[in-house]
Amino acid sequence: LQAQVVGMIANRSNAGALLRAERLGIPAVVINPKDFSDRSFWDQAMLKQLKDWAVDWVILAGYLALIGPEVLRAFPSRVVNTHPSLLPKFGGEGMYGMRVHRAVIQAGEKLSGVTIHLIDEVYDRGRIVHQEPIAVLEDDTAELLAQRVKILENQVYPRVLNDLVTGRITTG
């Protein structure tokens, strides 16, 4: 079974992924929660777009807004995210990008890695589907660790997503 990307939603108009989607001929839209008077209207707009595209799974990559309850209800155990640490460590609101890697280094951790998890209504709390550790090296800076974690994420995320879509990994 091959998954097909049917569209891309960004929450910021300056998201680099918009250019990548355009290059690949993938339909892309910006649905920014700040453009709506109420988050429930944003959630409804997201859900409408996902349904218009006949989406089966919602895959997050670099999406920093909390997914709304209507989308979560419409796609139970089918909204997936990747996080650049071994959750539950170094997760939660505001823990993204270099902030995560700096916190890992400052804490003196010996391991970091990638977590693939299902989304729920709280940042980085959803059920963990897969974790892939990577050693934190003695001379690591946050930038070096981030580079290595990104390479690992790019290897692991597609494989885990394929296993989810094909049912090799079950979500419920």
Side-chain angles (χ1 to χ4, degrees):
L1 178 65
Q2 282 257 328
Q4 177 184 356
V5 177
V6 297
M8 202 256 331
I9 298 174
N11 63 315
R12 297 178 330 271
S13 59
N14 64 348
L18 290 166
L19 294 173
R20 188 172 196 192
E22 184 180 356
R23 275 196 321 270
L24 296 171
I26 296 169
V29 297
V30 176
I31 306 177
N32 188 331
K34 294 176 182 171
D35 293 340
F36 295 85
S37 61
D38 185 282
R39 291 215 23 129
S40 67
F41 296 135
W42 168 72
D43 192 24
Q44 291 167 17
M46 290 271 294
L47 183 56
K48 181 183 180 322
Q49 184 61 68
L50 293 168
K51 286 185 174 184
D52 286 352
W53 283 332
V55 166
D56 293 319
W57 287 82
V58 178
I59 310 302
L60 305 180
Y63 197 85
L64 301 179
L66 194 61
I67 301 300
E70 286 195 45
V71 170
L72 292 174
R73 276 193 298 277
F75 298 93
S77 299
R78 289 182 289 134
V79 182
V80 185
N81 188 41
T82 179
H83 185 79
S85 75
L86 298 176
L87 291 175
K89 290 184 175 183
F90 311 106
E93 188 171 3
M95 288 302 287
Y96 59 87
M98 292 306 295
R99 294 175 181 188
V100 174
H101 305 296
R102 283 188 203 105
V104 168
I105 297 290
Q106 288 173 350
E109 294 289 323
K110 300 296 181 209
L111 286 177
S112 189
V114 174
T115 299
I116 313 301
H117 64 101
L118 301 177
I119 296 296
D120 66 13
E121 64 280 353
V122 176
Y123 284 109
D124 298 327
R125 185 189 69 181
R127 185 178 138 233
I128 294 171
V129 173
H130 182 83
Q131 290 186 310
E132 194 84 23
I134 190 169
V136 177
L137 304 177
E138 222 172 273
D139 60 345
D140 262 341
T141 62
E143 292 76 16
L144 289 172
L145 179 60
Q147 289 173 0
R148 292 196 351 274
V149 168
K150 186 53 141 176
I151 290 168
L152 181 63
E153 179 184 60
N154 289 340
Q155 295 167 349
V156 171
Y157 204 21
R159 185 185 74 223
V160 172
L161 292 173
N162 185 61
D163 288 349
L164 284 165
V165 170
T166 59
R168 277 182 284 233
I169 296 175
T170 59
T171 60

